[in-house]
Amino acid sequence: MNYSKTIPAVLSATIALSTISLLPFTLPQIALALTADQVKTVAKAVTVRIEGPKGGSGVILEKKGNTYYILTNWHVVDKAGDYRVITPDGKSHSIYYTLIRRMPGADLAIVPFSSPESYRLAELANSPATAGKKAIVAGWPISGGSLRQPIFIATEGLLTGRQTVWNGYTLVYNNLVRAGMSGGPVLDDGGKLIAINGIVKLENNSDKIVAAGIEINTFMKWRSTISLPVVPESPTTKTPSNPVNNSPRKSASAIAFAATNTIKAPAEVVSSVSLATDYFATGNSNGTISVWNFPGGELKTTLRSHREAVNAVAISPDGKILASGSDDKTVKIWNLETGALLQTLSGHSDAVSSVAISANGEFLVSGSWDKTIKIWNLKTGELLRTLTGHSGLVNTVALSPNPQIPPLSKGGLGGVLASGSKDGSIKLWDLASGQLIRTISGKNLSVLSVAFSPDGKSLAAGNGNGTIGLWNVGNGQLIRRLSGHTDGVWSVAISRDGSTLLSGSWDKSIRLWDVRSGDLRGTLTGHSGYVSAVAISGDGKMIVSGGWLGEIKIWKRS
């Protein structure tokens, strides 16, 4: 395994009593030891997730009015762009990037956000960190698996000493740390903050990971010399770095759906949904594919062959063929009438995250964590071409319903292929030639899902920060950005008449938008876990959604 010399990660500690009065904390004179589980509970209450062009973790340190102040590493937010703070209650809060304050000479920054909610503030330790003492390091790394979901972890370890100061880092410890935990807290056995987790260095000629962090008194000396900005108002709907109006507007003509059925899938996560006329298929995290009757929701058949989680399913336009992509790096093609496995397509070197079938039913496209897109002959399984160009894993692919959209396509296979990546870009490809038409930059926001309008002239893209971009396919310009979700939008779909955009998010909601005006026309709630997949019927009267905790819901327009 190759490690860089400096990777986001770790800890540090101490605070002089003379500086404690600078922050509005009441500190006990005697620190009482807590159990490790109690300290971890404290850690979870004061640790936030920071999402944006970079991102990591942070600690809730101060409050003034409705403005909270997060202490994190500068390298977590040093790339300008749209950032959000995800608080312990799961709520998302926008940030004015211009209000972030960097500490000179140290890898620290203060990130303000506004909220009327009451959040716990970290308490500072009242004695210096000492080698041999217990410590808990917490943060929000990205998990394994195809969904790449952030998870909270708090690890136990010991302070092992101090190193020569480098960019503020002095304290060393042996806790297990991972990328994404940068900016998280290092707590002592009393649950008090002793340091900010920041880097991981490797010893020369060794595979041993040595963690180090910035002791809190380093920050306190600087804190006593500055005043912090107050967020003038909650920037939920608009931030200075994004001039597009993201305000979710309620339309007068709201669309109402009611859940008619809730089905329990045979796995913990339903990663994808594909809907045909009389049935729908779900890709499940246990490696199976479930085919259900529609709209009744009775299980029709279960397809088994993948060795790992099924991340994507797509049904052909005639309803006879199903394609699936999996963590096992393969794409499989199935006969839905018989349940027979027709082809296993190998060639990707990492998990297959997304699949799509062309409007004429002849071609299959797959996107993968290996940063490539592959185009296959659906009937023969022949690999026709491999498209490269993304610098990050490919999360999603989609094919235009209209096979000919002049002047982008000039015959041959026809149509336009869209791919969205963790690198923050959307790429449009000519399916006939495999040539790149253009790259659309999404402000460095991870693109999680894409869907074409029925006429192929516009493209919806769900982003990691909860927004949805609606793009003009012809010129690559942003038509509008829709804002309302408070977490990543992992699935988007557009109704066959082109009027309604459907979005499913990890905020556990489904939203319906008017494509022409950008108005929010409805919000569906009821999922108890993250929503990973949504699909809408051809007549626009039924919706199928799937997500975490094995939940599948069937909704009917009322």
Side-chain angles (χ1 to χ4, degrees):
M1 182 178 292
N2 294 322
Y3 294 92
S4 61
K5 284 293 181 181
T6 302
I7 308 171
V10 165
L11 100 74
S12 188
T14 200
I15 182 71
L17 289 174
S18 61
T19 63
I20 291 175
S21 61
L22 297 175
L23 293 180
F25 302 135
T26 301
L27 299 177
Q29 296 301 309
I30 300 175
L32 300 177
L34 304 176
T35 65
D37 285 344
Q38 288 173 324
V39 176
K40 290 178 182 179
T41 298
V42 172
K44 190 167 187 178
V46 301
T47 305
V48 301
R49 189 165 87 246
I50 299 175
E51 294 184 343
K54 297 191 76 173
S57 303
V59 183
I60 308 174
L61 199 64
E62 289 190 58
K63 182 184 182 185
K64 184 176 182 180
N66 282 342
T67 300
Y68 284 89
Y69 299 95
I70 303 300
L71 182 59
T72 186
N73 292 135
W74 169 242
H75 76 255
V76 168
V77 293
D78 64 0
K79 187 171 185 178
D82 294 330
Y83 287 87
R84 304 182 75 85
V85 168
I86 313 300
T87 42
D89 59 1
K91 294 183 178 180
S92 177
H93 311 272
S94 294
I95 297 167
Y96 282 112
Y97 189 81
T98 55
L99 297 184
I100 295 175
R101 295 291 182 264
R102 178 185 182 182
M103 178 179 170
D107 186 24
L108 291 176
I110 298 174
V111 178
F113 73 93
S114 178
S115 173
E117 304 294 333
S118 178
Y119 298 116
R120 182 169 181 169
L121 306 180
E123 296 183 56
L124 305 184
N126 61 355
S127 59
T130 305
K133 294 289 187 179
K134 295 180 181 179
I136 298 289
V137 180
W140 285 89
I142 300 298
S143 75
S146 61
L147 290 180
R148 299 285 288 172
Q149 69 273 16
I151 56 172
F152 175 81
I153 65 171
T155 65
E156 302 173 39
L158 297 175
L159 305 177
T160 57
R162 287 183 172 83
Q163 66 175 17
T164 302
V165 180
W166 178 82
N167 206 15
Y169 294 101
T170 53
L171 200 63
V172 180
Y173 50 91
N174 62 10
N175 299 61
L176 174 66
V177 293
R178 293 172 54 189
M181 294 174 70
S182 288
V186 180
L187 305 179
D188 64 14
D189 59 7
K192 306 300 190 295
L193 184 66
I194 56 176
I196 295 298
N197 185 41
I199 64 169
V200 170
K201 287 187 176 181
L202 299 182
E203 294 182 340
N204 291 333
N205 302 319
S206 172
D207 290 333
K208 183 179 179 181
I209 298 177
V210 178
I214 302 175
E215 299 185 59
I216 202 66
N217 66 332
T218 300
F219 164 76
M220 291 300 299
K221 293 174 183 177
W222 174 65
R223 173 66 185 90
S224 66
T225 66
I226 64 167
S227 60
L228 296 178
V230 175
V231 178
E233 60 181 276
S234 176
T236 302
T237 59
K238 189 175 181 180
T239 62
S241 59
N242 183 8
V244 179
N245 189 344
N246 295 333
S247 178
R249 300 174 296 166
K250 279 275 188 178
S251 171
S253 56
I255 302 176
F257 277 81
T260 62
N261 200 355
T262 298
I263 307 167
K264 182 67 173 69
E268 184 66 18
V269 179
V270 175
S271 304
S272 55
V273 172
S274 186
L275 179 59
T277 303
D278 299 319
Y279 53 89
F280 65 93
T282 61
N284 308 318
S285 59
N286 67 350
T288 65
I289 300 160
S290 300
V291 182
W292 312 83
N293 289 321
F294 180 73
E298 302 85 7
L299 181 64
K300 182 179 178 182
T301 187
T302 301
L303 307 179
R304 295 181 174 88
S305 181
H306 284 294
R307 299 188 306 274
E308 299 182 49
V310 176
N311 306 316
V313 290
I315 298 174
S316 61
D318 63 8
K320 296 180 180 180
I321 300 296
L322 180 138
S324 58
S326 168
D327 270 4
D328 66 13
K329 308 176 187 178
T330 69
V331 177
K332 292 182 184 286
I333 301 173
W334 310 79
N335 183 319
L336 277 177
E337 295 178 329
T338 65
L341 175 63
L342 302 177
Q343 298 271 355
T344 295
L345 311 181
S346 301
H348 283 296
S349 60
D350 210 329
V352 178
S353 55
S354 184
V355 293
I357 296 176
S358 62
N360 61 10
E362 295 183 11
F363 303 97
L364 169 66
V365 173
S366 57
S368 170
W369 278 18
D370 64 13
K371 306 178 185 178
T372 71
I373 302 105
K374 292 184 182 292
I375 302 173
W376 314 80
N377 184 306
L378 184 62
K379 295 179 180 179
T380 67
E382 178 188 1
L383 176 61
L384 300 177
R385 57 178 52 87
T386 298
L387 309 181
T388 60
H390 281 295
S391 60
L393 59 88
V394 176
N395 288 316
T396 178
V397 295
L399 290 169
S400 61
N402 185 350
Q404 297 292 333
I405 310 175
L408 299 182
S409 182
K410 300 177 181 178
L413 303 183
V416 177
L417 161 64
S419 57
S421 169
K422 188 181 178 182
D423 65 17
S425 73
I426 302 165
K427 290 184 181 293
L428 300 178
W429 314 80
D430 186 284
L431 192 58
S433 63
Q435 291 183 341
L436 179 65
I437 300 168
R438 66 174 48 88
T439 297
I440 299 172
S441 175
K443 283 199 162 188
N444 297 307
L445 301 174
S446 182
V447 181
L448 307 178
S449 52
V450 291
F452 280 97
S453 61
D455 61 9
K457 295 180 180 180
S458 58
L459 181 78
N463 301 313
N465 72 340
T467 64
I468 302 158
L470 191 63
W471 302 89
N472 184 308
V473 172
N475 58 24
Q477 296 300 306
L478 180 66
I479 300 170
R480 63 179 54 88
R481 193 178 297 278
L482 308 176
S483 179
H485 285 296
T486 58
D487 209 330
V489 178
W490 285 88
S491 185
V492 288
I494 299 178
S495 60
R496 187 173 295 174
D497 64 5
S499 65
T500 304
L501 168 63
L502 189 67
S503 58
S505 167
W506 273 21
D507 65 8
K508 305 178 184 179
S509 76
I510 300 161
R511 293 180 183 254
L512 298 100
W513 312 83
D514 186 285
V515 173
R516 295 175 181 85
S517 67
D519 289 339
L520 176 63
R521 302 190 65 189
T523 299
L524 310 183
T525 59
H527 273 277
S528 53
Y530 302 139
V531 178
S532 312
V534 293
I536 188 167
S537 61
D539 60 10
K541 296 180 179 180
M542 302 289 292
I543 290 171
V544 179
S545 58
W548 286 52
L549 305 181
E551 282 185 337
I552 301 167
K553 288 185 178 291
I554 300 174
W555 311 77
K556 184 177 181 180
R557 187 165 180 171
S558 54

